[in-house]
Amino acid sequence: MKGMSTSFSGSENNLVSLTKTPAFVKIIGFSFLCLSLLIILRSFSSDITTVSNPTTPSLKFPMSFTSAPTAGDNPSPPPSAEAAVPELRQPGMERTGIVDENGAMTNEFVVGEFDEEVIDSVVDEKNGSDENGGGVLRGKIGKFKVCDESMRDYIPCLDNMEGSLERHCPPKGKGLDCLVPWPKGYKLRITWPKSRDEIWLSNVARTPFAKGKAGNKSVVRKGDKYIFPGDRTQFAQGVNQYLDQISKMVPEIAFGQRTRVVMDISCGIASFGAYLMDRNVSTLSIATKDVHNNQIQFALERGVPAMFTAFTTHRLLYPSQAFDMIHCSRCSINWTRDDGILLLEVNRMLRAGGYFIWAAEPVHKHEENLFALLKEMEDLTRRLCWELLKKEGDIYIWRKPLNNSCYLSRAPAVQPSLCSAGDDPDNVWNVNLTKCITQLPENGYGANVTAWPARLHSPPDRLFSIKMDAELSRREIYKAESNFWYSIIKGYIGAFRWEKLSLRNVLDMRAVYGGFAAALHDFNFDCWVMNVVPVSGPNTLPVLYDRGFIGVMHDWCEPFDTYPRTYDLVHAAALFSVEKNRCNVTTIMLEIDRILRPGGRVYIRDTKPVIEELVEIAQALGWVSFKYDSSEGPHSHWKLLIGEKRL
């Protein structure tokens, strides 16, 4: 025992001596460091494996395009990236919250940086609407009632004054407050391209227009359908033969290449635009709401771009140099009246070097009246510096000049005069027509767009003429917007089976640069998009037309000039958060319901407080609705609302 004790004491002394050596201290320090790193790495691993809802694609691009995000150098073609995947939560992201009296954090917390706009929107939600009627709704909403049967084709700003062709919207508080009913026997639309030639009888108004057209054999009633024979239109030899004749008269028109965007004035049932689609031409068919008040309804039911336009005292709601060609056949417009003020408006909208085609003969039945009108027309177009390229029968084709040289070389007394340098030809909302010639940009902007389809993804020069905050990063913003919507639509296709929707008539309520429409084209959806640029934001309409799209300026505090049951899909990105301080959001939702076809869908992407309110309104409208988190997770301020208006 004594020996063992002595041995143990010696070992103890050796151990004490060892712990005092520098090597031992280093080993202990290194072990402590490894243990600390292991704990940190396990915490980091826990963070990065937490993902958000995978059902919707990532919303990485800001919904207000005034900053300078980065993107790839080449937007054409769009990126062939995989379907959008959920974004992982980044390590080190701040997590803040409210600690209650027991020391526990509540569920009310913010992930990420402090966002003043989001917090302000929550405060606004609690404080109520502003003095202008904007803001959000309070309390529970009951079901909206159905309007009287007589309102099934109601257009609020065009149907409230007898005999007026121009917009007269209902005063504040007198707007639509009920659901516009659809006709008895309404059926899901016939899909394109079959709908070009036939539509359901029950889906359009039965008016004298339909009977008259049936008598003209351009519309034939057959059983429960209206039939549109392409060889029995206002064009004697049929639409395709008429288009071939135009191409032979002036081959430089080059449908589908040089000529991509066309306006058809007094369009009838829009057969001209319907058949141009086969030639890769996007045609906007316009007409006034007159005694033939459902010709636009026929066009829209067929699946052809069309809308009401009052060609009277105000500028049309399209930018300068919008259309590569403007067409008017058998229209009853007297172009030379009032010093040619209506033709001057055509000149404003016509692209430099663009074509004006006029089939003149049916305007006046008496030969002597027609002869005098033609003389006046030739004189007016000469003073406008238009070149008469070809005349064949009753078809006249003029070309607008490429620059201002002809205008500036005219004698000083020649009328009409040039518009002042301060005139903004793209300012179109509630602007009166003027008797002057819109000058072309000295830098050639608008005349130098590339041919289709290259122009779809090529940033146009007019991108730099838009009045907005960003100055040096516009090309990057343009490319980033296209890339963003490409990835979003790819995600929609994967998550929501968009390929089965049979889209045809689509409305983008806040189009910005048209990235949404471009993505639909890139994914080969056989549809057209009405791109709307709200008056509350930058006027990007010229860029949309330079890309080869159609669009219009509009104030969403007022109804849209189209029939009920126009669109299969209505898309709104960051619209309500912008407009809620100007407009009543319930009124906008009622307007969406009015113009949405039964069986159609609504996709609304906006901030969380806005979506929470819209969910309640959607239920009151009778939509079947679903709310989704964006892939940033349940605490992101961006959400997605999908509504379906079931038949």
Side-chain angles (χ1 to χ4, degrees):
M1 294 293 294
K2 183 177 180 180
M4 292 178 63
S5 175
T6 303
S7 177
F8 179 81
S9 299
S11 300
E12 184 178 10
N13 292 333
N14 292 335
L15 181 62
V16 171
S17 300
L18 178 63
T19 58
K20 294 181 178 180
T21 63
F24 182 83
V25 173
K26 291 181 180 180
I27 292 172
I28 294 300
F30 181 77
S31 300
F32 181 81
L33 178 62
C34 290
L35 180 61
S36 300
L37 288 175
L38 179 62
I39 294 172
I40 293 173
L41 288 173
R42 294 189 65 172
S43 175
F44 175 81
S45 175
S46 175
D47 277 346
I48 64 174
T49 54
T50 302
V51 298
S52 54
N53 189 342
T55 59
T56 52
S58 175
L59 181 58
K60 298 179 181 178
F61 196 78
M63 303 311 297
S64 178
F65 305 105
T66 56
S67 58
T70 59
D73 293 331
N74 185 11
S76 178
S80 56
E82 297 297 324
V85 296
E87 187 178 65
L88 299 180
R89 201 174 107 198
Q90 297 300 316
M93 182 174 288
E94 181 183 5
R95 183 177 187 271
T96 62
I98 301 174
V99 179
D100 62 19
E101 58 186 6
N102 297 320
M105 183 177 287
T106 70
N107 291 328
E108 298 295 329
F109 61 87
V110 179
V111 177
E113 298 179 356
F114 178 80
D115 191 327
E116 293 185 1
E117 292 184 2
V118 176
I119 301 302
D120 288 343
S121 67
V122 175
V123 174
D124 290 341
E125 182 177 5
K126 293 182 178 179
N127 291 340
S129 60
D130 60 20
E131 60 183 4
N132 297 321
V136 295
L137 211 64
R138 305 293 167 264
K140 294 293 182 181
I141 307 174
K143 292 288 185 181
F144 288 100
K145 65 180 181 179
V146 179
C147 306
D148 185 77
E149 176 66 21
S150 62
M151 297 179 64
R152 68 182 186 184
D153 295 313
Y154 178 62
I155 306 172
C157 293
L158 298 178
D159 286 340
N160 62 16
M161 285 193 67
E162 191 68 28
S164 175
L165 298 180
E166 292 193 291
R167 287 171 56 87
H168 293 278
C169 295
K172 185 178 180 180
K174 300 294 184 180
L176 192 67
D177 61 355
C178 54
L179 304 177
V180 173
W182 52 77
K184 294 179 181 179
Y186 185 91
K187 301 179 182 180
L188 291 177
R189 63 174 180 83
I190 297 172
T191 57
W192 183 269
K194 193 175 181 181
S195 63
R196 186 192 69 177
D197 302 321
E198 59 181 50
I199 62 174
W200 296 116
L201 182 73
S202 57
N203 287 12
V204 296
R206 297 185 178 95
T207 68
F209 172 82
K211 295 178 182 178
K213 285 295 179 183
N216 292 334
K217 296 184 178 181
S218 59
V219 179
V220 179
R221 179 172 176 173
K222 185 177 181 181
D224 57 357
K225 295 178 181 177
Y226 282 123
I227 308 298
F228 305 91
D231 58 348
R232 300 184 191 178
T233 65
Q234 64 195 61
F235 312 109
Q237 303 300 320
V239 186
N240 276 322
Q241 289 81 355
Y242 178 72
L243 295 174
D244 289 341
Q245 182 180 1
I246 291 173
S247 296
K248 291 178 181 178
M249 291 173 67
V250 182
E252 294 82 4
I253 287 178
F255 287 127
Q257 297 175 16
R258 187 189 186 282
T259 299
R260 162 64 184 176
V261 188
V262 171
M263 171 182 278
D264 187 20
I265 300 174
S266 295
C267 60
I269 55 176
S271 291
F272 181 78
Y275 280 82
L276 268 176
M277 287 183 170
D278 292 339
R279 307 181 186 221
N280 288 323
V281 175
S282 183
T283 304
L284 177 59
S285 301
I286 66 169
T288 56
K289 193 175 189 303
D290 54 13
V291 292
H292 300 313
N293 60 10
N294 69 340
Q295 56 187 336
I296 294 295
Q297 189 177 38
F298 271 72
L300 292 168
E301 188 67 22
R302 297 176 75 181
V304 180
M307 71 179 299
F308 288 112
T309 298
F311 214 157
T312 49
T313 63
H314 288 82
R315 281 180 173 176
L316 303 191
L317 302 177
Y318 317 108
S320 66
Q321 299 197 79
F323 300 97
D324 306 316
M325 185 178 85
I326 296 180
H327 172 263
C328 181
S329 174
R330 299 192 178 186
C331 54
S332 57
I333 298 174
N334 184 349
W335 294 111
T336 61
R337 75 162 178 86
D338 200 11
D339 299 325
I341 193 169
L342 298 183
L343 199 64
L344 286 167
E345 175 65 356
V346 168
N347 183 74
R348 182 189 69 83
M349 298 184 296
L350 191 61
R351 193 175 299 280
Y355 304 92
F356 179 68
I357 300 180
W358 184 45
E361 189 273 332
V363 176
H364 292 278
K365 295 181 180 179
H366 301 292
E367 190 67 29
E368 58 274 14
N369 291 339
L370 177 61
F371 181 78
L373 177 65
L374 292 175
K375 286 294 184 183
E376 293 175 0
M377 189 69 168
E378 290 175 356
D379 176 62
L380 176 59
T381 54
R382 187 164 44 249
R383 286 183 277 124
L384 291 179
C385 293
W386 288 6
E387 178 187 3
L388 180 60
L389 297 178
K390 197 81 172 182
K391 176 186 178 301
E392 193 170 288
D394 60 357
I395 302 175
Y396 290 73
I397 302 179
W398 286 275
R399 182 169 58 194
K400 180 179 175 178
L402 285 167
N403 52 54
N404 296 316
S405 59
C406 174
Y407 302 141
L408 299 175
S409 64
R410 300 182 312 163
V414 174
Q415 296 294 321
S417 60
L418 291 177
C419 297
S420 65
D423 175 72
D424 181 0
D426 297 324
N427 183 20
V428 296
W429 187 255
N430 291 330
V431 176
N432 291 330
L433 294 176
T434 53
K435 300 177 184 178
C436 61
I437 299 174
T438 302
Q439 298 188 54
L440 294 168
E442 293 297 334
N443 52 23
Y445 285 4
N448 52 359
V449 294
T450 55
W452 180 265
R455 65 194 280 188
L456 175 63
H457 289 293
S458 177
D461 289 332
R462 285 205 284 182
L463 184 65
F464 297 95
S465 64
I466 298 170
K467 297 176 182 177
M468 57 186 295
D469 293 340
E471 294 295 337
L472 302 178
S473 57
R474 299 191 180 198
R475 289 185 185 274
E476 288 73 19
I477 294 173
Y478 176 93
K479 295 174 184 178
E481 195 225 22
S482 292
N483 294 339
F484 170 74
W485 284 115
Y486 185 90
S487 65
I488 291 292
I489 298 302
K490 189 166 188 176
Y492 287 170
I493 293 171
F496 304 124
R497 303 293 184 264
W498 270 32
E499 71 278 3
K500 297 182 179 181
L501 294 184
S502 299
L503 299 178
R504 182 57 192 170
N505 299 1
V506 178
L507 175 69
D508 189 359
M509 298 179 71
R510 185 172 179 261
V512 192
Y513 295 132
F516 180 80
L520 290 177
H521 179 274
D522 291 332
F523 282 106
N524 298 314
F525 284 96
D526 197 3
C527 65
W528 61 273
V529 181
M530 178 61 73
N531 296 282
V532 177
V533 173
V535 299
S536 56
N539 184 3
T540 56
L541 263 181
V543 174
L544 289 163
Y545 277 92
D546 287 355
R547 292 191 79 164
F549 296 134
I550 59 172
V552 65
M553 179 162 280
H554 183 63
D555 186 346
W556 284 114
C557 295
E558 299 181 4
F560 196 63
D561 287 344
T562 191
Y563 269 102
R565 305 173 300 279
T566 290
Y567 294 103
D568 306 306
L569 175 70
V570 175
H571 174 257
L575 174 77
F576 287 90
S577 56
V578 172
E579 302 290 16
K580 69 184 181 67
N581 293 323
R582 301 178 57 250
C583 318
N584 186 317
V585 295
T586 305
T587 302
I588 300 177
M589 290 287 279
L590 275 166
E591 178 64 2
I592 292 176
D593 183 82
R594 184 185 72 85
I595 63 181
L596 184 66
R597 280 174 165 166
R601 298 192 181 187
V602 179
Y603 277 66
I604 301 175
R605 182 180 289 268
D606 222 303
T607 60
K608 181 178 179 180
V610 170
I611 293 296
E612 291 295 337
E613 179 198 3
L614 297 184
V615 167
E616 190 173 346
I617 301 176
Q619 293 171 350
L621 292 170
W623 296 353
V624 178
S625 59
F626 303 91
K627 182 180 69 173
Y628 294 88
D629 294 324
S630 65
S631 61
E632 287 90 338
H635 304 298
S636 168
H637 62 282
W638 292 109
K639 303 295 178 183
L640 175 66
L641 172 64
I642 301 176
E644 182 180 352
K645 181 179 177 180
R646 293 186 177 174
L647 182 62

